[in-house]
Amino acid sequence: MHKIILITCYFGRFPWYFRLFIKSCRYNPTVEFLIFSDADPGYDLPPNVTLVPFGIDEFNRLATRKLGLDIHIREAYKLCDFKPAYGVIFSDYIEGYDFWGITDIDIVFGRIREFMTTALLHTYEVVSVRDDYPTGSFMLFRNTDKINKLYTLSRDYQKVFASEKHYCFDECNFKHYYLQEGGDIFKTHCDIESMHHVLKKEEQKGLAVHFDFLIIEGLPGALKWDSGVLSFKNEYEVLMHHLILYKANRYTRKKVWKEIPDTFYIDRYTIRRYSTRSVRGKIHSFIRNTCLPGLKKAGFAIDSYMAHILGRKVKGLSPAVYELNGIKVRISKNDNGENQVSFQGIRPVPLVKSLWYPERFYSRSVKQVRCRIAEGKLTEYHINGGKQTFKLSGSNTDATTTPTTADYAGKILPDAG
């Protein structure tokens, strides 16, 4: 059996879903988990989970020494760009293992060995659990000098590591949606050469890379975890469920038990202990999956409708260019000093204030989207209960320039419905 160790770094207090992650780790006793963190969970961890006291300063010192570059990250999210280099950075911790891997703590694992089989690991050098791009939430690398240094084959890795900007280097430079639709990473503009570029190029030269869809993401519901076995719709066993969208959704219940039961269910908007075959389970599911989300959605719809009827314009945003999943979002002002927004390649439209939330607004073109303002800047993007964070773009030198009609010739406004 190949020895596997999975590595993750987490700085700050452990979140509510950490107990779910640890429970699923416990049921994978033949896989080792290594967590570098400055947090203390306050309870005992399973024998196969090792917590190494570690902070951002320690990471910077270790990465500087191991990579031979001057590393100074300030935000924990930037760690994602360094994941492909964990085999070098944490080389002292992975000696004796056949494979090392990257993972996150917003994961509920099923039976890892059912998918990472001896035959698979004997055949492949890199394993991704999506078929369209490399997965930063779970990816395995054969523990050899060649594979551990694959990241150096990117012409931009030094630029990525030296910058404070997050480039999504471990995956695909934020081209997720494009690749999900069948796009070719080599036929679209990217700011940097990501690991997707590297793996695809090296695959053509003989690198044994396995891309397969073994992960559940989004809010599908219908998941059951039963003593280590994770199933979908009681039909398919799956490797893991990534809680990335569940944890960020405004409609989901984010409370979990101090003692995780041996069986639980992950619905669209709640995680419950009891089966819907029981009265208690039926009631819980109805309230958490139907009633409460329905009320919140209705409130959102009413707020959007009234905001557009009243049409109170936004004037307090400073002109700037932001990024959201690799898409440029530009805030500017018209001749009346009123703010307007333009998503990449789309004509600017006015902003109207939320009726109930003074620091939120809607755009005239996309009424189901609400954005949040803090200190005169865009901070969050809300749609269908989901929440994403805006980041200031590096291209703000022309943010104060108002686009002309010619700048948007031939562009189509999004559906206003």
Side-chain angles (χ1 to χ4, degrees), residues 232-258:
F232 178 56
K233 294 184 176 180
N234 287 322
E235 296 180 17
Y236 311 103
E237 184 172 355
V238 293
L239 168 66
M240 56 187 274
H241 177 41
H242 193 190
L243 295 166
I244 187 169
L245 295 183
Y246 185 99
K247 69 181 184 182
N249 194 281
R250 296 173 57 250
Y251 305 149
T252 54
R253 185 172 186 256
K254 300 173 181 66
K255 182 179 180 181
V256 77
W257 317 277
K258 288 186 177 180

Side-chain angles (χ1 to χ4, degrees), residues 39-194:
D40 180 2
Y43 49 87
D44 292 336
L45 299 176
N48 62 324
V49 179
T50 301
L51 180 66
V52 179
F54 206 74
I56 287 183
D57 290 340
E58 285 85 356
F59 179 87
N60 286 333
R61 287 194 292 269
L62 181 60
T64 295
R65 179 165 58 86
K66 290 289 189 176
L67 300 177
L69 301 170
D70 196 13
I71 305 300
H72 289 288
I73 70 166
R74 297 182 182 181
E75 297 183 6
Y77 197 47
K78 176 64 180 177
L79 287 167
C80 295
D81 283 342
F82 288 85
K83 284 182 175 182
Y86 278 6
V88 172
I89 297 172
F90 299 116
S91 58
D92 296 340
Y93 295 87
I94 63 174
E95 291 181 5
Y97 290 90
D98 300 300
F99 280 82
W100 62 272
I102 54 178
T103 192
D104 293 318
I105 66 170
D106 56 349
I107 300 290
V108 177
F109 284 111
R111 296 189 295 176
I112 295 175
R113 291 287 184 178
E114 285 296 303
F115 298 88
M116 301 298 111
T117 63
T118 298
L120 182 79
L121 298 180
H122 179 75
T123 305
Y124 294 98
E125 298 169 286
V126 180
V127 179
S128 169
V129 294
R130 285 190 67 107
D131 58 359
D132 39 17
Y133 55 80
T135 40
S137 57
F138 183 97
M139 189 155 49
L140 295 186
F141 298 85
R142 189 182 296 277
N143 189 14
T144 65
D145 188 65
K146 168 193 167 185
I147 302 301
N148 293 355
K149 294 180 179 178
L150 276 176
Y151 68 91
T152 64
L153 300 180
S154 165
R155 63 173 179 265
D156 297 311
Y157 83 93
Q158 293 190 28
K159 168 187 172 180
V160 171
F161 291 170
S163 173
E164 293 184 10
K165 180 179 178 179
H166 175 223
Y167 285 98
C168 191
F169 176 66
D170 57 326
E171 295 183 336
C172 57
N173 192 217
F174 300 109
K175 300 300 179 182
H176 304 92
Y177 299 140
Y178 171 77
L179 294 170
Q180 287 171 21
E181 296 298 319
D184 184 339
I185 194 69
F186 298 105
K187 295 181 180 179
T188 187
H189 170 75
C190 293
D191 293 333
I192 52 100
E193 193 174 56
S194 67

Side-chain angles (χ1 to χ4, degrees), residues 264-334:
F264 57 85
Y265 305 84
I266 305 175
D267 296 337
R268 185 176 178 85
Y269 296 121
T270 191
I271 300 174
R272 56 186 165 83
R273 181 193 301 263
Y274 301 102
S275 167
T276 51
R277 294 179 180 177
S278 69
V279 173
R280 189 169 184 176
K282 281 185 172 70
I283 293 173
H284 180 104
S285 178
F286 178 68
I287 291 173
R288 294 291 179 178
N289 289 311
T290 304
C291 293
L292 294 181
L295 288 172
K296 292 178 181 178
K297 290 177 182 180
F300 188 99
I302 293 169
D303 184 41
S304 174
Y305 176 78
M306 292 304 299
H308 286 87
I309 290 294
L310 296 175
R312 298 180 301 163
K313 301 297 194 305
V314 176
K315 295 185 177 181
L317 275 172
S318 302
V321 179
Y322 298 84
E323 289 187 6
L324 182 72
N325 291 325
I327 295 175
K328 293 286 193 298
V329 180
R330 179 178 182 157
I331 296 294
S332 56
K333 291 188 177 183
N334 61 20

Side-chain angles (χ1 to χ4, degrees), residues 308 341 343 346 349-350 363-368 413-417:
H308 286 87
V341 63
F343 291 87
I346 296 175
V349 292
S363 75
R364 285 284 190 182
S365 59
V366 191
K367 296 181 180 180
Q368 69 270 29
L413 287 172
D415 184 359

